[in-house]
Amino acid sequence: MPEISVSAIFTAIVPVVLTTALGYLFRRKNWVDQNIQAGLMRLVIWAFTPALVVDRVLGNPLLTDFSVVWKVAAAGFLSVSLGMLAALFCARFFGISDAQTRRAFGYCCGVYNYGYIALPICMSLCPPETVGMMLLFNSSIEVAVWSVGVAVLSGKMSLPELAKSVVNPIFFAMVFCLVCNFTGWADAVPAWVFGTAKSLGACMIPCGILLVGMALPVLLNGFRLRDDPRVSVGALAMRLLLVPALMTAAALFVPAIPQDLRFILLIQAGMPTAMLPVVVVQFYGGDARLALRIVLTTSAASLLTLPAWIKTGFWLLQKIR
């Protein structure tokens, strides 16, 4: 079990915050424009993230057994799906009566920041093999976001949208690596492939976090956090209290799951809402300001709650198991 201390957790979180702030500054000062952001996003999707998958998944000894792979994929899918459904069910308890608002609330509270915050923390606290397992975990979250998530948000599931969003270079890289692992072909992959993947994959996290920061100036224009406190309080209760408690309990007590998957669940449990829901909610005709309110509220509070959840979860795992 990795050594987890509060200082180690803060050491993992602070670079994420500072890099986000740098992206915000560059966009605020107009040192980058939308064209540069779009080009950087294409690089992240088409080059950097697939390369990181190849670097951390291909030949990963934790991902050569199908019985392990399906458990990791199922855990990622369920962590988001059940979180969305729980938040949708509980929305009325926070005074959110409008059906469309409840749907947006459920979606936003369920989709947590599984990538640009969780991955660098995992890289800092866990072995490289565990990072590869988290990438698979995150890939299954994408399926949940565009299947169950769209159903929660719009009331219907669109198979074309699911296919368009899930079947991408990252998906193909993951399938390729897992096939190579299952068949033993990973041993025959030339060393230069791993070297190239390692170099390109190292760009994924900083570039992705910069993109998050670059998106903030436009979103924050005219936004007031103190509006609609019922949504903010509800989001804090669901995203940073109830859902983390459920995920931590699953990591501690669900039998027959790999130890490294327990580590991943404990790291992911206390994550704030991701930036993605702001764009998706707006696309489906929802209130993007509500989504942004949930993102900002949970992100700010998670600076205190996230270290506490990770530290407590690993401490309990050591005591119980």
Side-chain angles (χ1 to χ4, degrees):
M1 181 178 296
E3 290 293 329
I4 305 295
S5 65
V6 174
S7 62
I9 297 169
F10 272 109
T11 299
I13 293 174
V14 169
V16 177
V17 176
L18 294 179
T19 306
T20 303
L22 186 63
Y24 173 86
L25 176 65
F26 272 54
R27 188 68 182 91
R28 193 85 172 89
K29 294 290 187 180
N30 291 319
W31 294 340
V32 296
D33 57 22
Q34 288 185 333
N35 291 329
I36 293 177
Q37 286 180 247
L40 189 57
M41 178 61 77
R42 292 190 188 96
L43 280 172
V44 169
I45 294 173
W46 285 87
F48 299 155
T49 305
L52 184 63
V53 170
V54 172
D55 180 39
R56 298 302 174 96
V57 175
L58 187 60
N60 187 330
L62 298 179
L63 298 176
T64 57
D65 186 345
F66 182 76
S67 66
V68 172
V69 168
W70 82 260
K71 290 176 183 177
V72 175
F77 184 90
L78 291 174
S79 70
V80 166
S81 300
L82 296 180
M84 286 188 287
L85 295 175
L88 180 62
F89 175 79
C90 293
R92 288 185 182 274
F93 294 102
F94 302 108
I96 304 173
S97 56
D98 178 70
Q100 188 178 36
T101 304
R102 286 202 314 272
R103 290 180 177 279
F105 178 83
Y107 182 83
C108 294
C109 290
V111 182
Y112 54 87
N113 202 320
Y114 55 88
Y116 296 138
I117 295 179
L119 269 173
I121 292 175
C122 187
M123 288 177 173
S124 297
L125 302 179
C126 299
E129 293 79 12
T130 308
V131 177
M133 184 178 283
M134 181 177 279
L135 287 168
L136 173 60
F137 182 94
N138 292 353
S139 295
S140 66
I141 290 177
E142 294 283 350
V143 178
V145 166
W146 295 104
S147 56
V148 177
V150 170
V152 167
L153 194 56
S154 66
K156 58 184 179 180
M157 187 179 298
S158 172
L159 292 179
E161 284 294 330
L162 172 63
K164 183 173 67 175
S165 302
V166 173
V167 181
N168 54 42
I170 304 167
F171 172 83
F172 286 116
M174 182 63 69
V175 171
F176 168 77
C177 292
L178 291 176
V179 169
C180 289
N181 288 354
F182 294 154
T183 58
W185 296 345
D187 296 333
V189 175
W192 59 264
V193 172
F194 290 99
T196 304
K198 188 175 185 65
S199 298
L200 289 174
C203 301
M204 181 267 183
I205 294 297
C207 289
I209 299 173
L210 282 171
L211 281 168
V212 171
M214 291 174 188
L216 289 177
V218 175
L219 293 172
L220 290 174
N221 185 27
F223 176 77
R224 294 190 304 175
L225 188 60
R226 65 178 180 271
D227 292 346
D228 208 348
R230 59 182 182 155
V231 171
S232 299
V233 171
L236 290 173
M238 293 303 304
R239 182 62 263 157
L240 299 183
L241 290 176
L242 180 60
V243 174
L246 293 174
M247 289 181 66
T248 299
L252 297 176
F253 300 114
V254 172
I257 64 173
Q259 182 81 337
D260 291 85
L261 178 54
R262 298 187 194 277
F263 298 160
I264 290 170
L265 286 169
L266 293 175
I267 291 173
Q268 297 276 25
M271 291 294 151
T273 296
M275 289 291 295
L276 176 66
V278 178
V279 178
V280 179
V281 167
Q282 187 174 38
F283 178 81
Y284 282 96
D287 185 354
R289 293 289 181 179
L290 176 144
L292 182 60
R293 181 170 296 108
I294 294 175
V295 170
L296 295 179
T297 301
T298 58
S299 296
S302 70
L303 293 175
L304 297 176
T305 60
L306 180 56
W309 275 115
I310 294 176
K311 177 66 176 176
T312 301
F314 275 89
W315 179 80
L316 289 172
L317 183 63
Q318 190 173 28
K319 294 295 182 181
I320 294 173
R321 308 196 71 87

